[in-house]
Amino acid sequence: MTSSSSSSQATKRLVHTHPEGLRADALMEEDVAWSLEIDGDRDGEQFDRSERAALRRVAGLSTELEDVTEVEYRQLRLERVVLVGVWTSGTVRDAENSLAELAALAETAGAMVLDGVIQRRDKPDAATYIGSGKAGELRDIVLETGADTVICDGELSPGQLIHLEDVVKVKVIDRTALILDIFAQHAKSREGKAQVALAQMQYMLPRLRGWGQSLSRQMGGGSGGLATRGPGETKIETDRRRIREKMAKMRREIADMKTGREIKRQERRRNKVPSVAIAGYTNAGKSSLLNRLTGAGVLVENALFATLDPTVRRAETPSGRLYTLADTVGFVRHLPHHLVEAFRSTMEEVGDSDLILHVVDGSHPDPEEQLASVREVIRDVGATDVPEIVVINKADAADPLVLQRLLRIEKRSIAVSARTGRGIAELLALIDDELPRPSVKIEALVPYTHGKLVARAHTEGEVISEEHTAEGTLLKARVHEELASDLSPYVPAAAL
């Protein structure tokens, strides 16, 4: 009772000392909130109110890496892959070259190649691509190397992908998916991105995976009733429908872009400007050659498919004739048909050109295979009737015997080096000779008041000689029929 009454008296004294409106402030003051009689015997460390309300750090819980090398490794860790190929025809060297190219593609995509194996078979296994026994051996290689991806040197069916993944227990992709990934990384223009997206959706559509019936929807409304419950449209069917809708939209957009490209081509035809297309295997040096011939400043990199977007530049022959030079997308053996279809509008630059510069890497182990692969795609886009000059690039790094063999096999060929400039002057002269020439040879005395006709002769035709006289410009040139008709009133009577 005594302690109770004393406590009551202390409370009354506090109330009288601090009126009602100041009671909360008084309780927050240190000299009032703490007293020796009440708080002096408390155990443990006492904190101010601000410290009690603050967040406290607990030492030893952070997993932040202190070593800089470990931080960089975590950020830049490359995907570790094992390559596998099926050798069905040709020699061992052909199979090894194909797998070496697959390794270069994997490194371009940002992967680290750990190992590569080839199996000799009459045809790929329908279930696991390499057979169940070899798939088990491949699983051992994956475990031994610590790989997290297997890349197959061919296009796998959806069933082969699933069954091989079930055995090796890591992600499995094929050559087509790898090339599509590289294209997606390197496409920069709006048209290039749209073409790659369309090709990716075409590839992905038959390879979608879903959970089947567990993701089904009702057939009717949510109010219930007869014939309103059932499997309905499954989630995977919904995804396929949406992909088809996106593909249709993407095709319309690409068709619109194709119209714009066709208008530009028609403008060049109307102005009678000849066109030259640079085609060739990827990493053969097409962009380097374009830069050497025109000073275009296109990206040059020692990587596969470094440039995808077509570049058109105006150039001039040694005789002064203007023409356009177009750099096209690089080709590769077994180029996925999805890409050929998606990039058809871009590859039409090759079919509509007046001359093809077919660039081949002279330092490659098998340049003849490169030539055959590119010509197969050129045939697919209907450009077999266009004249072709085989440009053997990287002559400074190639084997002289290989150069001699290629120059002997290819009748219309020339060896150059885009890096050093070797053979570039001869190539320009050859382009000048091979470009189609105007059909009409004319001599006209053009009055100075009609100088536009002289300018057209320089841009649309081939000027042989030009002399300024008192009556006007005496012009000798080869021109097209339309310009010849415009110049006919000024042809001297002696020339008729």
Side-chain angles (χ1 to χ4, degrees):
M1 291 295 293
T2 306
S3 61
S4 170
S5 61
S6 62
S7 174
S8 176
Q9 290 176 0
T11 304
K12 290 179 182 178
R13 285 199 302 270
L14 183 62
V15 172
H16 288 299
T17 305
H18 299 278
E20 185 70 21
L22 300 178
R23 184 183 304 168
D25 294 337
L27 289 173
M28 299 305 297
E29 292 178 3
E30 291 185 3
D31 56 344
V32 176
W34 185 89
S35 65
L36 181 63
E37 294 82 7
I38 299 175
D39 301 321
D41 296 333
R42 289 183 179 174
D43 296 330
E45 184 180 4
Q46 304 300 313
F47 296 96
D48 293 337
R49 181 175 180 273
S50 60
E51 293 179 346
R52 292 200 304 269
L55 293 175
R56 297 182 59 194
R57 293 187 178 275
V58 180
L61 295 184
S62 175
T63 59
E64 181 180 4
L65 296 177
E66 299 295 337
D67 190 353
V68 176
T69 58
E70 292 185 28
V71 175
E72 291 178 349
Y73 174 77
R74 174 173 289 187
Q75 291 177 348
L76 302 177
R77 180 182 181 275
L78 301 177
E79 197 164 356
R80 301 159 63 87
V81 302
V82 170
L83 311 180
V84 56
V86 173
W87 170 27
T88 58
S89 61
T91 63
V92 180
R93 182 183 177 186
D94 295 335
E96 291 177 350
N97 287 341
S98 181
L99 206 67
E101 183 178 272
L102 185 67
L105 288 169
E107 291 176 357
T108 302
M112 180 187 299
V113 179
L114 303 179
D115 204 348
V117 293
I118 302 174
Q119 186 197 12
R120 184 73 170 95
R121 295 179 63 94
D122 294 333
K123 61 179 181 180
D125 184 70
T128 60
Y129 182 66
I130 55 176
S132 57
K134 297 299 180 183
E137 295 180 18
L138 180 62
R139 170 61 180 166
D140 296 337
I141 295 175
V142 169
L143 289 175
E144 179 184 349
T145 58
D148 45 34
T149 304
V150 171
I151 304 179
C152 298
D153 191 16
E155 185 169 345
L156 272 62
S157 67
Q160 288 173 326
L161 281 172
I162 294 174
H163 293 149
L164 191 56
E165 279 188 354
D166 289 341
V167 177
V168 299
K169 305 301 182 183
V170 295
K171 181 175 67 175
V172 177
I173 63 174
D174 57 12
R175 185 188 184 94
T176 301
L178 180 62
I179 294 176
L180 287 172
D181 183 75
I182 296 172
F183 271 56
Q185 292 180 39
H186 292 177
K188 303 299 180 186
S189 68
R190 178 169 171 260
E191 183 176 7
K193 291 179 180 179
Q195 290 167 331
V196 173
L198 176 60
Q200 285 179 318
M201 286 186 286
Q202 287 176 323
Y203 173 81
M204 183 172 55
L205 184 61
R207 293 170 174 81
L208 286 179
R209 303 182 190 181
W211 294 95
Q213 297 294 328
S214 62
L215 294 178
S216 64
R217 305 189 308 177
Q218 282 192 343
M219 293 170 58
S223 58
L226 296 176
T228 60
R229 299 176 182 84
E233 186 180 36
T234 61
K235 179 66 167 57
I236 192 171
E237 291 168 348
T238 306
D239 292 340
R240 286 172 179 160
R241 175 168 53 82
R242 289 177 176 173
I243 288 178
R244 292 190 187 99
E245 292 172 355
K246 288 183 179 180
M247 287 171 59
K249 180 181 178 182
M250 203 69 67
R251 287 193 179 98
R252 289 193 297 268
E253 292 180 0
I254 294 175
D256 293 340
M257 299 175 198
K258 178 182 176 182
T259 303
R261 187 177 295 278
E262 180 62 29
I263 290 174
K264 294 179 181 178
R265 280 198 290 261
Q266 290 177 358
E267 183 70 15
R268 292 198 293 268
R269 294 193 204 104
R270 187 178 66 83
N271 292 328
K272 306 297 188 298
V273 179
S275 61
V276 178
I278 301 178
Y281 214 77
T282 179
N283 204 31
K286 299 184 299 300
S287 298
S288 300
L289 185 63
L290 177 69
N291 291 341
R292 174 66 69 172
L293 294 176
T294 66
V298 178
L299 170 69
V300 174
E301 186 178 353
N302 186 21
L304 305 183
F305 301 113
T307 52
L308 296 181
D309 304 318
T311 303
V312 180
R313 291 291 184 270
R314 184 179 292 268
E316 187 175 337
T317 64
S319 63
R321 300 172 61 196
L322 293 178
Y323 66 97
T324 59
L325 200 61
D327 181 19
T328 60
V329 62
F331 303 146
V332 70
R333 74 179 76 188
H334 311 308
L335 188 68
H337 65 277
H338 309 296
L339 286 174
V340 176
E341 182 64 30
F343 278 79
R344 184 169 294 275
S345 61
T346 301
M347 294 176 182
E348 285 175 358
E349 292 285 352
V350 178
D352 291 340
S353 62
D354 297 301
L355 180 66
I356 297 176
L357 296 184
H358 186 166
V359 184
V360 61
D361 184 359
S363 63
H364 191 270
D366 192 1
E368 288 88 355
E369 177 66 24
Q370 288 192 353
L371 289 168
S373 300
V374 174
R375 282 170 176 159
E376 181 180 352
V377 180
I378 290 176
R379 185 171 58 252
D380 290 341
V381 298
T384 53
D385 296 333
V386 182
E388 176 191 64
I389 297 176
V390 176
V391 181
I392 308 170
N393 194 24
K394 305 182 183 180
D396 55 322
D399 186 349
L401 296 178
V402 175
L403 290 179
Q404 293 177 10
R405 185 179 77 239
L406 291 174
L407 291 171
R408 185 177 63 253
I409 295 174
E410 301 294 336
K411 302 304 180 184
R412 302 173 67 187
S413 59
I414 184 172
V416 303
S417 173
R419 186 177 67 88
T420 64
R422 168 186 169 184
I424 296 298
E426 292 80 1
L427 176 60
L428 287 171
L430 188 57
I431 292 173
D432 198 356
D433 294 337
E434 294 292 336
L435 281 178
R437 296 183 177 277
S439 56
V440 181
K441 187 175 182 179
I442 193 170
E443 179 179 347
L445 183 60
V446 183
Y448 291 120
T449 56
H450 293 74
K452 288 184 179 180
L453 293 175
V454 179
R456 285 181 58 189
H458 280 279
T459 57
E460 301 177 15
E462 181 182 356
V463 176
I464 300 173
S465 66
E466 183 179 4
E467 181 182 352
H468 299 288
T469 66
E471 294 81 12
T473 303
L474 183 59
L475 188 68
K476 293 182 180 180
R478 298 182 65 93
V479 296
H480 298 283
E481 294 181 359
E482 180 182 352
L483 182 54
S485 176
D486 295 339
L487 288 171
S488 59
Y490 309 108
V491 176
L496 296 175

